Amino acid sequence: MSDIAVVKSRAQVGINAPLVTVEVHVSNGLPALSMVGLPEAEVRESKERVRCAIINAGYEFPCRRITINLAPADLPKEGARFDLAIALGILIASDQLEGDALDSLEFLGELALTGNLRPVHGVLPAVLCAKQAGHGMVIPTINTAEATLVNGISILAAEQLLDVCAHLDNSRILPAAIATASAGNNPINLDLLDVREQYQARRALEVAAAGRHNLLLIGPPGTGKSMLASRLPSILPPMCEQEALQAAAIQSISTQGFKLASWRQRPFRSPHHTASAVALVGGGSQPRPGEISLAHQGVLFLDELPEFGRRVLEVMREPLESGEIHISRAARHEVYPARFQLVCAMNPCPCGYLGDSDGRCRCTEEQVSRYRARVSGPLLDRIDLHVQVPRLRTSILTETGQGTLPENSEQVRERVKLAADRQLKRSGCLNHMLDQQQIRQHCQLTEKDQAMLVMAVEKLRLSARAYHRILKVARTIADLAAAENIGSMHLLEALSYRKPLLQHHS
């Protein structure tokens, strides 16, 4: 008589899904169910859900001593994702079900009291890990949309516990999940065509998109800073499958979950300035990804930059450089990817109208200094392009669309894609990721241009980081022009994006 069963499942630890072996032992003794292996409260409560689900599926819940071990024992287990594996283990260990097909399958799913399977978070990372292990996976039908994004793995969809039992008994085979996501390009909803004039800002947006550089937009209220930022994803190159899977995996483990409509769309996250540091970078007692990770492979837009807390902004400095965020707790250490493009918008002064042609600004020099001091120099140093966005002419607002229309997002994206392809072919990465050796190799200047850059850096009192970022931007501008080397015009344009903020006029 078989009184022990072993069923495979997956835990969720950050962006990873380590294998969990659910071991169930049924022995004689007083009826009891004990669970070991660091189960959290949701996992411990599964015994009541499993008991009702087994009975309502038409099986017998053993009136014997049941011991469930979730191995490895030192890995914390949370969520209701192990319900299905625990129920199958009990049925197999009590000889109500055959377990011959278990070696090649993993099981995820929460059980309702009726025996129906409910969806769980974090299915996509689990499927990716199961594929690496060479296993198939049985999941709730509702989770198939994200699971089928991964090619080369057998995904079986089930509506209820009884369906899985019938499959293991070979009386009714579970259907293979069918992919529903399209690999085609998504339509552009927010188009750059809507942005009139603002030629320098539009150009800076194109440069930022081509090299994936960080961007700061500075100007009075109502000049189109937020409009420009929201259109940046529409001119970024399409996501490759690996980038799309990374972004989808982070969505899958977040509290919002994965939405099929966002597949292959560059994330655009715009947190409110009251967001906490944990909301921005992730964390909490049970660590979850923050806004910078949810913006992975996409855009993080911080509107009203000085209104964010100083401490909130400072925690972004490390992930801006490394492309990942490390979250440490007493017993856990998790790493989330955070390769995002930072776009910020701010006013030049507290009232917002410093430098405006009508001279309405009445802020004192002290007020302006205090306002700008909310954003630290080290953070501004990590933003490659600083662009002034002036107020629009009133006549532009009353135009009815006559005359020459500006370029739309599709036209700009084509140039951006060509420039990005040149970067990938030359150095294997986009220009914002060039290291010191690659900068020396691919960002060479003539002696005249080198002297001009050194003089500009000394005059503007820029750091060594800013020096290298200017070179990267100049390399991107040259790539947009299909130039083999960085020329004087490319360097001058890159320097123009490092001009200091407007000064106060008393």
Side-chain angles (χ1 to χ4, degrees):
M1 178 178 177
S2 172
D3 58 359
I4 190 166
V6 178
V7 185
K8 299 183 184 70
S9 188
R10 293 275 169 184
Q12 178 190 313
V13 180
I15 199 69
N16 298 314
L19 180 68
V20 170
T21 303
V22 180
E23 302 170 341
V24 181
H25 182 259
V26 177
S27 60
N28 294 326
L30 292 175
L33 189 152
S34 60
M35 189 178 299
V36 296
L38 281 183
E40 301 288 347
E42 289 173 309
V43 183
R44 291 195 300 270
E45 291 170 355
S46 68
K47 59 185 179 182
E48 297 303 327
R49 293 191 297 270
V50 168
R51 183 179 64 82
C52 291
I54 288 177
I55 294 171
N56 288 321
Y59 290 92
E60 178 187 348
F61 191 82
C63 290
R64 301 166 67 191
R65 182 168 185 81
I66 304 171
T67 304
I68 301 170
N69 178 39
L70 306 176
D74 60 346
L75 178 71
K77 324 295 188 308
E78 59 185 29
R81 57 202 295 117
F82 305 108
D83 286 6
L84 177 58
I86 291 171
L88 294 175
I90 292 173
L91 291 174
I92 294 168
S94 60
D95 280 342
Q96 300 181 72
L97 198 62
E98 292 293 331
D100 297 337
L102 292 181
D103 289 343
S104 60
L105 287 176
E106 299 179 6
F107 300 85
L108 279 184
E110 176 184 347
L111 284 173
L113 300 185
T114 59
N116 289 337
L117 283 174
R118 288 177 171 155
V120 294
H121 286 300
V123 166
L124 187 54
V127 171
L128 288 167
C129 292
K131 178 185 176 182
Q132 291 178 351
H135 298 154
M137 182 162 277
V138 178
I139 60 171
T141 302
I142 303 177
N143 285 124
T144 55
E146 61 179 292
T148 52
L149 298 177
V150 183
N151 298 317
I153 178 174
S154 172
I155 302 293
L156 302 178
E159 292 280 354
Q160 53 188 355
L161 174 61
L162 203 55
D163 296 336
V164 183
C165 295
H167 177 83
L168 295 178
D169 274 341
N170 293 317
S171 59
R172 188 171 68 249
I173 302 300
L174 285 173
I178 301 173
T180 55
S182 171
N185 292 330
N186 292 288
I188 295 174
N189 297 320
L190 300 176
D191 201 295
L192 206 56
L193 184 67
D194 302 327
V195 181
R196 302 300 174 91
E197 289 200 338
Q198 302 298 13
Y199 302 113
Q200 185 188 23
R202 284 176 60 104
R203 170 63 176 175
L205 205 68
E206 181 177 342
V207 172
R212 214 66 57 84
H213 301 289
N214 301 323
L215 174 65
L216 172 63
L217 301 169
I218 310 156
T223 56
K225 300 186 294 294
S226 299
M227 178 182 280
L228 282 159
S230 64
R231 273 123 182 103
L232 178 56
S234 71
I235 63 173
L236 290 172
M239 299 177 83
C240 67
E241 184 175 1
Q242 183 181 2
E243 291 177 334
L245 283 173
Q246 288 175 351
I250 297 170
Q251 292 178 33
S252 179
I253 65 173
S254 70
T255 53
Q256 298 97 327
F258 171 76
K259 295 178 178 61
L260 189 60
S262 63
W263 173 241
R264 284 192 182 272
Q265 285 189 349
R266 296 277 181 187
F268 181 83
R269 306 292 299 185
S270 180
H272 193 260
H273 60 76
T274 56
S276 66
V278 169
L280 196 65
V281 302
S285 56
Q286 295 182 348
R288 290 288 183 268
E291 291 291 337
I292 64 172
S293 294
L294 292 169
H296 182 63
Q297 301 297 352
V299 177
L300 177 69
F301 176 48
L302 302 183
D303 200 5
E304 306 294 344
L305 182 65
E307 301 301 329
F308 282 82
R310 179 73 173 257
R311 177 174 168 271
V312 174
L313 293 177
E314 293 306 295
V315 295
M316 287 198 309
R317 284 162 52 178
E318 180 189 345
L320 271 173
E321 296 286 345
S322 65
E324 58 186 22
I325 179 72
H326 294 251
I327 299 173
S328 297
R329 295 294 178 264
R332 301 175 68 172
H333 178 82
E334 295 180 8
V335 180
Y336 293 108
R339 184 70 64 187
F340 61 94
Q341 185 172 3
L342 179 63
V343 179
C344 305
M346 64 178 287
N347 298 326
C349 67
C351 78
Y353 297 102
L354 176 62
D356 215 358
S357 56
D358 59 6
R360 74 174 90 174
C361 176
R362 293 294 181 267
C363 299
T364 65
E365 188 170 352
E366 182 183 355
Q367 288 173 325
V368 174
S369 298
R370 193 183 308 121
Y371 175 76
R372 293 178 179 175
R374 295 178 187 174
V375 184
S376 71
L379 179 62
L380 288 174
D381 206 33
R382 287 167 166 83
I383 301 178
D384 308 286
L385 294 88
H386 301 182
V387 182
Q388 306 287 342
V389 186
R391 187 172 57 162
L392 288 169
R393 293 181 292 110
T394 308
S395 58
I396 290 293
L397 306 177
T398 59
E399 287 183 359
T400 58
Q402 301 297 323
T404 305
L405 291 174
E407 289 182 305
N408 60 31
S409 291
E410 192 64 43
Q411 294 170 298
V412 178
R413 183 164 66 176
E414 192 57 37
R415 287 199 301 271
V416 167
K417 187 177 183 304
L418 290 173
D421 289 343
R422 293 186 188 99
Q423 297 166 44
L424 294 173
K425 184 178 179 180
R426 180 179 59 242
S427 54
C429 65
L430 294 178
N431 287 334
H432 80 288
M433 292 182 64
L434 294 175
D435 58 28
Q436 299 298 320
Q437 182 179 350
Q438 290 172 318
I439 291 175
R440 287 192 295 270
Q441 183 178 354
H442 304 303
C443 302
Q444 296 179 359
L445 302 176
T446 63
E447 289 186 9
K448 178 183 175 183
D449 289 342
Q450 185 69 48
M452 178 176 64
L453 176 58
V454 169
M455 184 174 66
V457 167
E458 291 177 350
K459 185 176 181 181
L460 297 175
R461 297 180 180 178
L462 300 177
S463 67
R465 180 187 290 112
Y467 171 87
H468 290 120
R469 287 179 180 262
I470 290 170
L471 284 174
K472 293 178 184 181
V473 172
R475 179 66 265 179
T476 299
I477 295 169
D479 289 328
L480 281 167
E484 187 70 26
N485 299 306
I486 299 175
S488 299
M489 294 302 296
H490 308 140
L491 181 60
L492 284 170
E493 183 178 350
L495 283 168
S496 73
Y497 298 128
R498 277 286 179 171
K499 289 189 296 187
L501 296 176
L502 289 168
Q503 298 301 309
H504 184 266
H505 299 290
S506 54

